[in-house]
Amino acid sequence: MMGQQDRVDQFKSEISQMGVADPATGRDRMLLIIGAVLLIAGPAVCLIGYISSHGTTNPLAQNDATVTAIIGLSLTVAGGALFVRYSVAQFLRFWLARLSYEQQAQTDRLVEALGGAAAPAAADPDRVTA
Amino acid sequence: MTAPTPLNAADADRPENATAPLLALRGLQAGYDGITVLHGVDLSVEPGHVLAVLGPNGAGKTTTLRVIAGLHPALSGDLLVAGRRVNGASPDELARAGLCLIPEGRGIFPNLTVRENLWMMTHGARGAKLAQIEEAAFARFPRLGERRTQVAGTMSGGEQQMLALARGLVTDPAILLLDELSMGLAPLVVEELYALVAQVAAEGVTIVVVEQFASIVLGIADRAAVMVNGRIVSEGEPSVVEATLSETYLGA
């Protein structure tokens, strides 16, 4: 074990290198709510576009309605992205981290096993393997 | 004011530059569901020192430790670790750097054996192997060595608390946060555990210990603070705090 002064110095160094985001819990929550609102508002804007185009034969008005619908679609996509980023991804990152760790451990075990199998084979070149 | 005496023998081992706090809280506020439970807490601990935070049930002691460990967000104020503001840092980042919380209720895995509980720490123990971890843990806690294959949940409360301490210490913490070590334990066991904590403190680990029962913890502390209703109402040398403890608790 290292000396306590070294440990404190190492601790200070690790803390100084730590990537700490500003406390963003309030901002994250706000973006999550905005995402959810956009997910609802986007399809509503699309619906408004559809209704406005349906009630007219004027091509200019229909063009406007098309633009409205595209804006609605964009809002839905943006809202969906925000919602996924600040809700599901937040929840799943632990699972992903665990999965990644397990995969790494599995690879290490495999490499170790292959290394163990290769060593006796190298020691005995006459060994016949099926 | 008198200088703290219990750990004088260990002072020589303490880190230099012990004047700058390793951990500091400045006007920290935190709460649950819109209800503020910490109303501007100010505390600081210098490297290698032991700070005892005392107070009655519901004073906010555990919340304070949870905020320090990154398990609970601060509403406002500053959490400074090694001089850096770390509000919003995740608990795993802080733990990886060397900030270790031993929670109230021990936080061990009751259905795993002692060995398996220690095994879980191989992920957090700075690349240490299980054999090294076991060696270090059993050297400090021989009784755990005798119980290495026993399921943790079947051990006595004191032994479970030892396991919790052992698990925390194998991570080689720079700051150790202890929450109600004495909870549910017999006085003799508590004395034994605090003797171990004093030993860890003498090695120079910075410790913040939260307790309801003052007498033992004040014996190992360099400084003490009393928290009531989410506020630090008294802070100073343990002997001074001890003298005014009943007045502070009762608000007389």
Side-chain angles (χ1 to χ4, degrees):
Chain A
M1 191 181 282
M2 64 178 74
Q4 198 54 33
Q5 180 62 47
D6 295 339
R7 181 68 188 95
V8 170
D9 290 342
Q10 186 193 19
F11 179 65
K12 285 179 177 175
S13 156
E14 286 180 25
I15 289 289
S16 68
Q17 287 164 13
M18 207 162 73
V20 184
D22 273 341
T25 46
R27 194 195 63 186
D28 286 2
R29 192 171 169 75
M30 194 181 71
L31 287 169
L32 175 69
I33 292 167
I34 290 172
V37 168
L38 288 180
L39 267 176
I40 297 164
V45 173
C46 289
L47 192 67
I48 291 167
Y50 169 74
I51 292 166
S52 12
S53 72
H54 199 66
T56 179
T57 52
N58 182 353
L60 289 175
Q62 284 180 337
N63 283 346
D64 289 346
T66 307
V67 171
T68 306
I70 290 169
I71 289 170
L73 203 61
S74 309
L75 291 178
T76 309
V77 171
L82 280 176
F83 188 77
V84 169
R85 164 67 182 82
Y86 291 101
S87 62
V88 185
Q90 193 77 3
F91 171 74
L92 286 181
R93 72 192 177 117
F94 295 106
W95 177 75
L96 284 169
R98 182 75 206 166
L99 202 68
S100 159
Y101 173 80
E102 291 288 351
Q103 204 168 18
Q104 185 62 48
Q106 191 73 17
T107 310
D108 290 346
R109 277 198 291 273
L110 195 64
V111 168
E112 202 178 301
L114 286 173
D124 183 7
D126 297 333
R127 186 178 170 195
V128 179
T129 51
Chain B
M1 286 207 179
T2 54
T5 50
L7 293 175
N8 277 354
D11 284 349
D13 296 333
R14 286 194 171 151
E16 292 165 15
N17 307 321
T19 47
L22 195 61
L23 173 70
L25 312 181
R26 302 270 180 258
L28 199 76
Q29 294 201 355
Y32 301 92
D33 299 326
I35 300 166
T36 305
V37 296
L38 297 183
H39 305 274
V41 172
D42 292 296
L43 281 174
S44 65
V45 202
E46 291 165 12
H49 282 209
V50 180
L51 170 71
V53 182
L54 310 167
N57 253 339
K61 306 183 299 292
T62 295
T63 304
T64 305
L65 287 194
R66 286 177 58 80
V67 172
I68 296 171
L71 292 167
H72 194 81
L75 295 173
S76 67
D78 297 324
L79 168 60
L80 302 163
V81 177
R84 182 166 179 212
R85 189 176 188 267
V86 294
N87 294 46
S90 65
D92 56 308
E93 281 176 312
L94 290 168
R96 210 172 289 127
L99 198 148
C100 174
L101 169 68
I102 296 178
E104 194 178 353
R106 296 143 202 165
I108 58 168
F109 298 99
N111 51 343
L112 300 183
T113 64
V114 168
R115 207 161 172 263
E116 287 164 343
N117 264 281
L118 292 173
W119 193 9
M120 300 300 282
M121 300 314 291
T122 52
H123 305 313
R126 306 177 164 271
K129 301 285 181 209
L130 178 60
Q132 293 170 299
I133 285 177
E134 282 186 348
E135 192 185 340
F138 297 154
R140 200 188 286 273
F141 303 94
R143 207 184 304 171
L144 291 181
E146 294 162 16
R147 306 235 186 286
R148 68 181 72 196
T149 55
Q150 188 171 337
V151 173
T154 64
M155 297 197 302
S156 70
E159 287 164 350
Q160 289 184 26
Q161 194 62 275
M162 277 180 198
L163 177 57
L165 260 176
R167 268 188 358 171
L169 292 173
V170 294
T171 62
D172 192 16
I175 300 177
L176 187 62
L177 309 173
L178 300 172
D179 194 1
E180 302 277 5
L181 207 60
S182 66
M183 181 174 270
L185 300 178
L188 278 175
V189 180
V190 175
E191 275 183 33
E192 193 182 346
L193 282 169
Y194 273 108
L196 288 164
V197 173
Q199 192 185 325
V200 174
E203 288 165 17
V205 177
T206 306
I207 298 176
V208 179
V209 55
V210 151
E211 264 297 348
Q212 282 191 55
F213 303 104
S215 54
I216 295 177
V217 74
L218 286 175
I220 65 160
D222 296 300
R223 284 189 75 76
V226 181
M227 183 180 255
V228 178
N229 294 329
R231 290 181 175 86
I232 299 292
V233 292
S234 165
E235 191 187 356
E237 302 289 330
S239 53
V240 177
V241 169
E242 191 171 22
T244 59
L245 200 58
S246 54
E247 286 174 26
T248 315
Y249 263 52
L250 299 170

